[in-house]
Amino acid sequence: MSAPHLPKVAGIDPEVPVSTQTAAPLREIPAAPGAFIQDRLAGWVSDLTTLHELTERLASTATLDAALNELLHAGAALVGARRGLLVLERAGTTTRSTTLGLGLGPADLGHLETVERSATALGRVLDGPPEAADARDGIATPDLLGDQDLDPRHREVATRLGYAASYALPLASEAAGRLGGAVWFYDEPGEPSEKQRHLVGLYARYATEHLARLTELERARADIATVAEELLPSRLPRIPGVRLAARHRTGPQGGGDWYDALPLPDHALGLAVGSVGGSGPSAMAAMGRLRASLRAYAVMEGEDPVAVLSDLELLLRLTEPARTATALFAYCEPAARKVVLAGAGHTPPLVLGDRRCEYVETTLSAPLGMLACWEAPSVEFSPAPGETVLLYTDGLLRRTGDAMDRAFARLHSAAASVPKADRHDPAAVTDHVLRAMLPDGLDRSDSTEDVVVLAAHFD
């Protein structure tokens, strides 16, 4: 006869066998970890926190120069040094090397360059085989002046600059390879501890990956800027009675803002600015096609800006129906001081002189590619002797970060504040306007907008 099943109580299954052995009673409370272990744990937490903060700061850098400066400062803090030197050069490429110093002036860097590269720890890190232990773990020279085998020129430079020890570390990782190396200088004999070497090694491997990404990004940006510049006029024409100046910057992804200035029959001049929607290689290619087409239409019928833009509208609608663009074309007769212009969804020009600073009133029109048939009346005006006509793209306004009405007011104030001594120089006018509109400069990496400014000064 089988025994009855006992009921489950408090989630305990009575069918599960229970050990008949009982644990010994707890006679005393376990002692807390020793002070030594607590100190080591606290030290590890502090080191990890410091490393995390330094890598976060490095990751926030968006340009190569900023990342290199951050690396030098962080490395000096980790190894306990005051000065340092960094050389960035990718092995096996023809890319120009970059040298950066921390606490070292141009004269100091010049003295260091007089030392034969193979006689320095940094040179051995840069030129040694990647698989060598020194190339991975760094080279410490705890007492430079006490080294009997030290190169005499190196000893002279170390004495002159006042450093007595150094620690050199490669900038290398498995994925990125070796990008360069860094060395930090100590004012007194010494070397980093094992813990310091471990931390700076971890940081350097992370920094190498970040530098590799920024290097590729800047190379791509440089290629995009080169292509964009090649799609624009290589030089501005010289027409009696008018002087020209242009400024152009392409966004990091490459954009479609453009300008043109071309001589036309009977000593006339055609001026154009425009913007193609989108960014990247596709927008740049469309910009090149649009500019080339406008040049052809301007030569054939430039005296009628409406006809030029109407032809451009038809071409865009038939060949690239998904593309939109803005454009402004001006037909100028410098001898008669006559300008006839038409715009398709583009920002109005600005006229600057000794007696006025005002926008040219243009008719309201849609961008190219948005209407089945584009046509808007042209506008004619006469710039006075000594006045400058400023053409620009909306990227100049958008880069300010202001609302469009405030950006227009800001541009008007910038043009009105051009010193009288500079108003007869179109290059000085454009530079002043850009400095006033974009005090941080045209090369801000966080801006995706192109900028085009074209100035025509009538004598």
Side-chain angles (χ1 to χ4, degrees):
M1 186 173 180
S2 59
H5 291 283
L6 298 177
K8 295 182 180 180
V9 178
I12 301 175
D13 188 351
E15 294 185 355
V16 177
V18 180
S19 173
T20 57
Q21 298 181 359
T22 58
L26 189 62
R27 300 184 181 277
E28 59 182 9
I29 300 175
F36 173 73
I37 296 178
Q38 289 183 348
D39 289 344
R40 291 197 61 179
L41 289 174
W44 289 341
V45 172
S46 176
D47 292 340
L48 290 176
T49 302
T50 301
L51 191 61
H52 175 73
E53 291 176 352
L54 293 176
T55 52
E56 285 290 313
R57 288 172 54 180
L58 180 66
S60 66
T61 57
T63 64
L64 189 59
D65 289 341
L68 294 177
N69 273 290
E70 179 62 30
L71 192 159
L72 262 180
H73 283 82
L78 288 173
V79 301
R82 188 172 60 89
R83 292 178 289 176
L85 175 66
L86 185 149
V87 175
L88 189 68
E89 57 180 22
R90 186 182 290 272
T93 66
T94 58
T95 305
R96 184 172 59 88
S97 63
T98 300
T99 302
L100 186 68
L102 170 64
L104 301 170
D108 300 333
L109 295 178
H111 288 308
L112 288 169
E113 289 178 353
T114 63
V115 181
E116 186 178 353
R117 182 159 158 154
S118 60
T120 65
L122 178 60
R124 293 194 294 274
V125 162
L126 291 171
D127 300 330
E131 65 276 4
D134 287 344
R136 294 193 309 268
D137 302 330
I139 300 176
T141 310
D143 188 4
L144 270 170
L145 302 181
D147 185 358
Q148 300 299 323
D149 298 327
L150 186 66
D151 179 80
R153 179 57 185 165
H154 193 183
R155 184 185 300 275
E156 178 183 348
V157 170
T159 303
R160 179 189 294 266
L161 299 185
Y163 64 87
S166 68
Y167 178 68
L169 187 69
L171 301 176
S173 69
E174 294 183 2
R178 185 167 56 194
L179 300 185
V183 60
W184 290 276
F185 301 111
Y186 297 89
D187 297 338
E188 302 292 339
E191 60 180 317
S193 65
E194 182 179 353
K195 182 181 72 172
Q196 289 175 317
R197 292 192 191 197
H198 178 66
L199 290 176
V200 76
L202 292 175
Y203 180 82
R205 284 191 288 275
Y206 176 83
T208 300
E209 300 289 345
H210 186 61
L211 292 178
R213 291 190 293 269
L214 290 179
T215 301
E216 294 300 325
L217 182 60
E218 294 208 352
R219 184 179 294 113
R221 288 175 176 172
D223 292 342
I224 288 174
T226 300
V227 173
E229 292 299 327
E230 291 296 325
L231 291 173
L232 297 175
S234 57
R235 62 183 181 86
L236 296 173
R238 294 184 177 182
I239 304 295
V242 64
R243 287 177 290 147
L244 304 174
R247 298 291 183 267
H248 173 251
R249 288 295 184 276
T250 301
Q253 297 179 353
D257 287 15
W258 56 277
Y259 70 94
D260 206 350
L262 64 156
L264 298 175
D266 301 325
H267 303 289
L269 173 69
L271 300 176
V273 290
S275 178
V276 174
S279 62
S282 175
M284 294 171 63
M287 176 261 285
R289 293 191 294 268
L290 199 68
R291 172 178 170 264
S293 301
L294 185 140
R295 290 176 70 93
Y297 298 144
V299 170
M300 294 187 294
E301 47 193 6
E303 68 279 0
D304 186 358
V306 172
V308 172
L309 294 185
S310 296
D311 292 342
L312 203 61
E313 158 72 23
L314 179 61
L315 176 72
L316 191 69
R317 183 158 43 87
L318 293 177
T319 59
E320 301 184 60
R323 182 80 63 180
T324 60
T326 66
L328 185 146
F329 178 72
Y331 177 80
C332 308
E333 296 180 10
R337 294 194 184 88
K338 173 185 174 183
V339 177
V340 182
L341 64 88
H346 204 78
T347 50
L350 185 67
V351 180
L352 168 66
D354 292 336
R355 297 186 177 181
R356 64 170 172 170
C357 179
E358 60 188 23
Y359 289 104
V360 177
E361 292 187 7
T362 58
T363 55
L364 185 63
S365 62
L368 300 173
M370 294 189 66
L371 298 177
C373 179
W374 180 91
E375 185 170 340
S378 60
V379 175
E380 180 178 333
F381 67 98
S382 298
E387 289 189 333
T388 300
V389 179
L390 203 66
L391 284 68
Y392 54 94
T393 59
D394 61 356
L396 175 64
L397 305 175
R398 297 184 187 280
R399 275 211 188 191
T400 63
D402 297 332
M404 291 304 288
D405 56 342
R406 291 179 58 87
F408 274 114
R410 186 171 175 178
L411 176 58
H412 184 276
S413 299
S417 65
V418 175
K420 288 189 176 182
D422 295 336
R423 293 190 177 187
H424 297 279
D425 182 359
V429 171
T430 56
D431 290 339
H432 177 88
V433 168
L434 287 173
R435 285 194 301 268
M437 292 287 287
L438 308 172
D440 294 335
L442 275 173
D443 298 319
R444 282 179 49 187
S445 60
D446 59 341
S447 178
T448 60
E449 298 288 344
D450 289 8
V451 172
V452 166
V453 179
L454 177 61
H457 178 80
F458 290 83
D459 296 328

